[in-house]
Amino acid sequence: MLKNTLSYARELDAQDPLKDFRKEFYFPQHNGEDCIYLCGNSLGLQPKGVKAALDSELAHWQEHGVEGHFRGDMPWMYYHRFFSEQAARIVGAKPGEVVIMNTLTTNLHLMMVSFYRPKGKRNKIIMEGGAFPSDQYAMETQARYHGLNPEEVVIEVEPREGEHCLRTEDILDVIRKHGDEVALVMFGGVNYYTGQYYDLETIAKTAREVGANIGYDLAHAAGNVPLKLHDWGVDFAVWCSYKYLNSGPGGPSGAFVHEKHGDNPDIPRFAGWWGHDEGERFQMKKGFIPMKGAAGWQLSNAQIFAMAPHKVSLDIFEKAGMEALREKSLKLSAYLRSLLDDLVTQGREFEIITPKEDSDRGAQLSILTGEGGKALFDFLTENGVVADWREPNVIRIAPVPLYNSFEDVYRFAGLLERYKS
Ligand SMILES: *Cc1c(COP(=O)(O)O)cnc(C)c1O
């Protein structure tokens, strides 16, 4: 039984094996207390170790100048390598299939250059309706870049009348219906608005069955839900590091390229010197020879000051472990849901549009508010809640297992209960 009392919430916290990770993060303050920070789906909190990591890179630069590329524990020349193993564990990949570089939308375009290769009638992109705008713009402009009309080639899968989320069977139907006209199936992992975690394994399988490439944008999935990109046979994926991965605003992106492509130097790509064979990168010769694996898609030398915080964050994930995090995450959001359900029973007018099944969601619950939802949101903000409002009327709440507590969830629901419109 999930009980609606502070002492019960505190009891859950006391039993939580991950409870000490909260101390590794800075919380924004409200009237001298930690905010109820439920916005890790938008920007994760700052790990306390970030400052030391940045200071260390500054000192390295100060002491060594250009020689910093070759000296120290993490020479800048090979910096990207120090991330692959840990990042690969988060997305279920082999280390060589993952590289940390650039930012998310940049990587999405780079991957589409390689994996959206329309040919004849096989020129369509199937994507989720209501995708994050950057993804919509990327699909639209990639289509135009190939001289195609996005209105003809970009197919969006929409929810059924009266529903908010997509049914897997409908997604598969659309893929099968367009069959040999599909060049690429490009989906989010977890939808940013509804919080729906798509059945990525089944979607990938069906995309492959019709001979299409399959790519995922894991912005809201990486560090949130279990992923097995390699086993699922996904062609490529991209994600950012500043949401669930707590690596700071504009933090670096990750890219996954399946090994079946990574070792194929003939795949067309937009290249830069950092993707060139490491052995002869500094010979400055003509003729691009890609490095093996995802690293062969790199353009530029590593952005040390953006990547150093990411390493701090990945070390924390490594200590906590994705399995334990997922277990707590499901408990936290189930507790939140039960408290919200109580309020609905008491006559509050809102609806949770995120799917209920564990397999269909991550940490986030999206609350569709009735009229006056913005006033409710403002009330929460005035009372120390950091959450996120999405037009027209959704409040997104993400209890994050690394640093949120059951007490956070309890206090949040308590404020909702107190609110009188
Ligand atoms: C957050 C998010 C982005 C942001 O893209 P950036 O290039 O990192 O600014 C893009 N796509 C999705 C699905 C997102 O959730």
Side-chain angles (χ1 to χ4, degrees):
M1 244 320 261
L2 299 169
K3 284 181 278 182
N4 190 351
T5 63
L6 178 59
S7 63
Y8 181 70
R10 287 185 170 159
E11 199 180 302
L12 292 177
D13 282 327
Q15 292 162 5
D16 167 17
L18 299 177
K19 60 176 177 292
D20 288 335
F21 283 98
R22 182 180 174 97
K23 297 183 196 128
E24 297 196 28
F25 293 87
Y26 288 114
F27 279 73
Q29 298 292 297
H30 176 80
N31 296 340
E33 279 183 42
D34 288 353
C35 282
I36 304 176
Y37 195 85
L38 296 167
C39 213
N41 54 341
S42 189
L43 186 74
L45 289 180
Q46 182 185 144
K48 290 181 180 168
V50 162
K51 198 166 194 309
L54 284 173
D55 281 346
S56 157
E57 293 301 348
L58 283 170
H60 194 63
W61 182 22
Q62 183 178 330
E63 277 170 43
H64 303 289
V66 69
E67 295 298 334
H69 280 103
F70 307 101
R71 294 185 186 158
D73 297 338
M74 290 180 64
W76 301 327
M77 169 88 179
Y78 308 109
Y79 213 73
H80 71 271
R81 286 192 200 163
F82 309 124
F83 295 78
S84 311
E85 293 219 357
Q86 292 179 335
R89 272 193 276 281
I90 287 176
V91 297
K94 297 185 177 182
E97 292 176 317
V98 166
V99 67
I100 302 299
M101 60 179 186
N102 311 318
T103 48
L104 172 54
T105 309
T106 311
N107 285 342
L108 180 54
H109 278 296
L110 288 180
M111 291 295 121
M112 288 190 68
V113 162
S114 295
F115 299 106
Y116 175 54
R117 310 272 310 147
K119 210 185 248 165
K121 73 169 185 174
R122 192 183 279 283
N123 60 13
K124 296 203 162 62
I125 302 172
I126 308 248
M127 70 184 298
E128 77 214 83
F132 193 86
S134 206
D135 301 55
Q136 295 186 37
Y137 305 147
M139 300 308 124
E140 177 189 329
T141 55
Q142 283 279 337
R144 283 192 209 288
Y145 166 74
H146 287 284
L148 300 166
N149 178 356
E151 285 179 17
E152 283 164 20
V153 300
V154 180
I155 315 276
E156 298 186 18
V157 186
E158 299 291 350
R160 293 188 190 183
E161 187 77 30
E163 298 184 6
H164 300 283
C165 293
L166 298 179
R167 298 196 191 190
T168 304
E169 57 193 284
D170 291 352
I171 300 170
L172 305 186
D173 278 351
V174 173
I175 297 172
R176 290 190 184 117
K177 185 178 132 213
H178 292 278
D180 61 4
E181 295 179 355
V182 187
L184 174 68
V185 177
M186 177 68 220
F187 252 71
V190 172
N191 183 272
Y192 80 100
Y193 187 77
T194 61
Q196 179 179 12
Y197 173 24
Y198 300 113
D199 183 347
L200 302 183
E201 180 173 15
T202 307
I203 295 171
K205 184 165 166 280
T206 308
R208 284 200 317 279
E209 277 166 12
V210 303
N213 280 338
I214 172 76
Y216 289 135
D217 180 340
L218 305 175
H220 281 263
N224 177 19
V225 292
L227 298 164
K228 290 191 176 153
L229 297 180
H230 176 85
D231 292 348
W232 295 340
V234 176
D235 293 292
F236 73 89
V238 291
W239 59 94
C240 59
S241 64
Y242 50 82
K243 292 173 178 165
Y244 292 95
L245 292 174
N246 312 316
S247 302
S253 166
F256 164 90
V257 179
H258 200 280
E259 71 180 353
K260 67 188 168 197
H261 305 298
D263 294 346
N264 177 0
D266 298 329
I267 291 195
R269 67 188 90 189
F270 286 173
W273 74 318
W274 226 252
H276 189 87
D277 177 21
E278 221 163 52
E280 54 171 53
R281 184 182 296 147
F282 285 90
Q283 295 175 18
M284 309 297 194
K285 287 198 296 199
K286 254 196 178 329
F288 176 71
I289 304 169
M291 290 216 276
K292 279 198 174 210
W297 271 262
Q298 292 177 104
L299 299 180
S300 304
N301 69 98
Q303 292 168 291
I304 305 302
F305 297 111
M307 285 168 73
H310 189 39
K311 184 72 177 84
V312 174
S313 167
L314 290 177
D315 287 345
I316 295 174
F317 269 84
E318 194 77 5
K319 261 199 287 171
M322 267 312 294
E323 265 181 46
L325 285 168
R326 172 68 169 168
E327 198 182 318
K328 176 176 171 188
S329 174
L330 289 173
K331 281 186 193 153
L332 266 180
S333 46
Y335 186 51
L336 172 58
R337 185 184 281 270
S338 80
L339 299 182
L340 294 174
D341 284 348
D342 282 354
L343 293 176
V344 171
T345 312
Q346 291 163 29
R348 284 308 167 93
E349 280 182 22
F350 52 72
E351 180 191 351
I352 303 171
I353 60 174
T354 308
K356 191 163 189 172
E357 287 293 317
D358 288 356
S359 57
D360 300 337
R361 65 184 180 83
Q364 173 184 328
L365 294 189
S366 301
I367 305 172
L368 184 67
T369 63
E371 245 173 76
K374 189 62 178 24
L376 164 64
F377 180 76
D378 293 342
F379 168 83
L380 294 170
T381 307
E382 282 155 24
N383 285 281
V385 173
V386 183
D388 165 294
W389 172 260
R390 283 291 127 136
E391 295 293 342
N393 52 3
V394 161
I395 299 176
R396 301 188 305 169
I397 299 296
V400 166
L402 263 179
Y403 51 72
N404 281 125
S405 61
F406 291 89
E407 184 172 338
D408 284 338
V409 166
Y410 175 82
R411 287 167 62 208
F412 167 75
L415 282 170
L416 274 187
E417 188 169 11
R418 240 178 64 199
Y419 178 72
K420 301 272 183 293
S421 59

